Amino acid sequence: MGADGEATSALSRPGNRDDFDRLYRENYPRLLRTLYAITGDAAAAEDCVQEAFVKAWRAWPRFRPERAPEGWLHQIAVNTAISYRRRAKLRSVGEILRRLGRPGAGTDPGDAATRSDVVTALAGLPPRVAADFVLRYHHGYNNREIARLEGVSERTVGARLAQARDELSRRLGPGWRGELPTSETAGVHFPRERSGVRDA
């Protein structure tokens, strides 16, 4: 983000359709990738991003320009994905209750084809931990930029990243080299908008 994020903030006028359209184009790929890590499901991530932008558009006339619009969108999107995960858990519990007493149907082979081990592991992390991991190691934001984006301290971001690395290593084993799912995963195209990872 850096200077780009600041320039974008300065150009964002609450309620202005052109400014919102530009924010949509610039932020959609990053938010889609981040929510994919939180939900573990490409279709759910797309639904959540669309829902987040609908919410943002409704709130856009009340947006306060002193805030970075990217951080504002990020907060709406992550909260939307968290709500989705809560609803999904409730649906899952309901499904288990309905199936009590019956033999299990087994694993859906389609799940294995569309969800990599990394996506599954990321989706098992707390949502904000998964989001920070993707922002850092896929999008290339440094800890300071993530902290500013989310309105938290750099120490909080560092702790979340350490938690993510430890948990992913535990779940994926010593052979995992930190690769994130690519655009081939689940047939979803996630353009990489930045290259490299800067130090915090």
Side-chain angles (χ1 to χ4, degrees):
M1 260 180 10
D4 293 341
E6 288 163 13
T8 303
S9 301
L11 295 172
S12 296
R13 296 159 293 181
N16 183 281
R17 185 180 193 94
D18 290 338
D19 286 355
F20 189 84
D21 288 347
R22 178 178 44 75
L23 285 170
Y24 179 89
R25 289 191 307 272
E26 291 174 358
N27 289 278
Y28 188 95
R30 172 173 57 85
L31 292 176
L32 181 61
R33 181 65 157 191
T34 302
L35 298 198
Y36 183 39
I38 292 173
T39 63
D41 179 87
E46 291 184 58
D47 288 347
C48 287
V49 172
Q50 291 294 337
E51 183 181 340
F53 273 107
V54 168
K55 290 176 182 175
W57 172 248
R58 288 180 183 148
W60 183 233
R62 299 183 304 280
F63 171 72
R64 297 192 315 275
E66 64 268 15
R67 270 191 88 185
E70 296 82 1
W72 176 71
L73 287 171
H74 175 85
Q75 185 176 29
I76 292 170
V78 169
N79 287 341
T80 301
I82 290 171
S83 295
Y84 168 85
R85 273 186 41 173
R86 286 183 186 139
R87 291 192 305 267
K89 269 187 187 167
L90 289 174
R91 284 193 300 271
S92 174
V93 168
E95 195 62 32
I96 290 167
L97 290 174
R98 280 193 292 278
R99 291 182 182 180
L100 276 176
R102 298 184 198 170
T107 305
D108 182 351
D111 285 348
T114 58
R115 293 178 62 185
S116 76
D117 291 343
V118 179
V119 172
T120 302
L122 281 168
L125 297 175
R128 295 183 201 286
V129 172
D132 285 1
F133 186 84
V134 173
L135 287 170
R136 181 73 167 94
Y137 296 108
H138 176 74
H139 294 295
Y141 289 88
N142 64 37
N143 290 14
R144 186 175 299 111
E145 291 171 326
I146 296 170
R148 191 169 61 191
L149 182 73
E150 297 181 336
V152 298
S153 70
E154 287 184 57
R155 181 174 290 185
T156 297
V157 173
R160 287 176 181 170
L161 293 173
Q163 180 184 351
R165 287 190 300 268
D166 290 348
E167 187 62 23
L168 290 172
S169 295
R170 188 183 67 74
R171 291 177 186 226
L172 299 171
W176 179 62
R177 297 188 186 122
E179 297 94 343
L180 288 175
T182 65
S183 58
E184 289 77 36
T185 304
V188 178
H189 178 64
F190 295 110
R192 295 182 75 102
E193 71 253 34
R194 302 176 70 148
S195 61
V197 176
R198 293 191 301 279
D199 292 332

